[in-house]
Amino acid sequence: MIQFDHVSKQYGKSATLAVDDLNMTVEQGKLFGYIGPNGAGKSTTIRLMTGILAPTSGRVLIGGYDMSKDPIAAKRQIGFVPDSHELYDRLTGLEYLNFMADVYEVSSARRREHIEKYLNLFELEDAAGEQIRSYSRGMKQKLTIIGALIHQPPVWVLDEPMVGLDPKSSHVLKEEMRRHCAAGNTVFFSTHVLEVAERLCDEIAIIDKGKVLARGTMEDLRSGESGSSLEELFLQLTETEGGEA
């Protein structure tokens, strides 16, 4: 479970809050989509959730652990796929995955099982012995995903996870996300691909200018506007304003 308890984030002396009084709970077993225009506050929300940033006010709880008071326990609940590929380029893919398993204290038998499973699923077996600096962007994205899943955490936090993935790998990831939620876990992911969010998510939140404008199932979001697509609803709510995320 993920809980935002009146969370706000202000950068420096800016009069504008990047996240403005976010009060939201994402229950276990939910695949939750977080969408908004560039500059809406999506990435800031994710950085607050993963402990990269500290909130100006309020608190974030992951699996009941307060990220500010007990950050190690909270972070152990999370598998995080950021929107960048800042990997250790001189490690091989296999060395990187074992490093991630060491960080999360995954047993030898369990790590071997998960590494073999995900290298096979994402078709990285042949590249696992090569240095990461030789990988393409898509290969780095797949390795990042495998590293985040290796300890099978109860909460997956994925920031634009399908960017750079080929169609087959995107399909594999979506299947794993659904499977993870079916086992009673939680997936929180941001995306600009609204069709994916509409088809995949149990619940969706639309954020703009730091505030959640709407949240719920597709039926909830339509609010009587039967047949409206997520794209139509998104544009109505955000008025297509832009910026940097």
Side-chain angles (χ1 to χ4, degrees):
M1 185 178 74
I2 304 164
Q3 184 179 353
F4 299 93
D5 183 10
H6 295 285
V7 173
S8 294
K9 179 61 181 179
Q10 180 182 27
Y11 288 111
K13 297 181 179 180
S14 173
T16 302
L17 293 174
V19 173
D20 189 353
D21 195 30
L22 178 58
N23 197 45
M24 181 172 74
T25 299
V26 182
E27 300 291 346
Q28 286 180 266
K30 296 295 184 182
L31 205 167
F32 192 88
Y34 201 56
I35 64 175
N38 292 335
K42 301 187 302 299
S43 292
T44 297
T45 301
I46 286 174
R47 289 170 186 146
L48 291 166
M49 189 190 324
T50 54
I52 296 170
L53 293 175
T56 304
S57 61
R59 59 182 188 151
V60 179
L61 292 94
I62 308 293
Y65 296 101
D66 189 318
M67 184 61 76
S68 296
K69 294 181 179 178
D70 200 350
I72 299 300
K75 290 175 183 180
R76 284 189 177 279
Q77 305 295 305
I78 295 172
F80 177 41
V81 177
D83 60 353
S84 60
H85 308 120
E86 296 180 4
L87 301 170
Y88 301 101
D89 278 358
R90 293 188 180 275
L91 294 180
T92 67
L94 193 56
E95 287 170 340
Y96 171 77
L97 294 178
N98 275 298
F99 167 72
M100 293 297 292
D102 287 341
V103 168
Y104 289 101
E105 300 179 340
V106 181
S107 69
S108 297
R110 191 177 173 213
R111 77 173 63 185
R112 184 166 56 250
E113 175 188 349
H114 290 161
I115 287 173
E116 289 177 359
K117 170 186 173 181
Y118 287 117
L119 286 178
N120 178 263
L121 276 176
F122 287 101
E123 299 181 339
L124 273 184
E125 309 103 310
D126 293 342
E130 299 174 7
Q131 287 188 331
I132 296 170
R133 60 180 175 173
S134 70
Y135 285 18
S136 68
R137 174 178 175 148
M139 292 167 70
K140 288 181 179 179
Q141 179 71 350
K142 290 192 279 188
L143 188 68
T144 302
I145 290 168
I146 296 170
L149 307 188
I150 201 164
H151 61 301
Q152 291 294 289
V155 176
W156 289 356
V157 181
L158 315 174
D159 194 357
E160 296 286 347
M162 290 154 203
V163 173
L165 293 184
D166 57 80
K168 183 176 180 180
S169 296
S170 292
H171 176 74
V172 168
L173 177 58
K174 286 182 277 189
E175 289 292 304
E176 286 300 302
M177 291 162 70
R178 289 293 337 155
R179 190 174 294 114
H180 196 61
C181 291
N185 300 301
T186 306
V187 174
F188 185 108
F189 87 109
S190 72
T191 181
H192 281 114
V193 186
L194 302 186
E195 294 85 356
V196 170
E198 184 169 3
R199 291 196 309 269
L200 194 62
C201 294
D202 300 312
E203 292 187 37
I204 296 167
I206 300 174
I207 183 173
D208 192 19
K209 298 177 181 176
K211 283 186 171 291
V212 170
L213 305 179
R215 180 221 169 154
T217 65
M218 275 303 300
E219 289 73 21
D220 295 333
L221 294 175
R222 287 190 178 107
S223 299
E225 296 185 33
S226 180
S228 294
S229 68
L230 182 57
E231 181 181 41
E232 291 167 331
L233 295 167
F234 177 86
L235 293 175
Q236 288 170 17
L237 287 168
T238 63
E239 299 179 342
T240 68
E241 293 184 14
E244 282 298 317

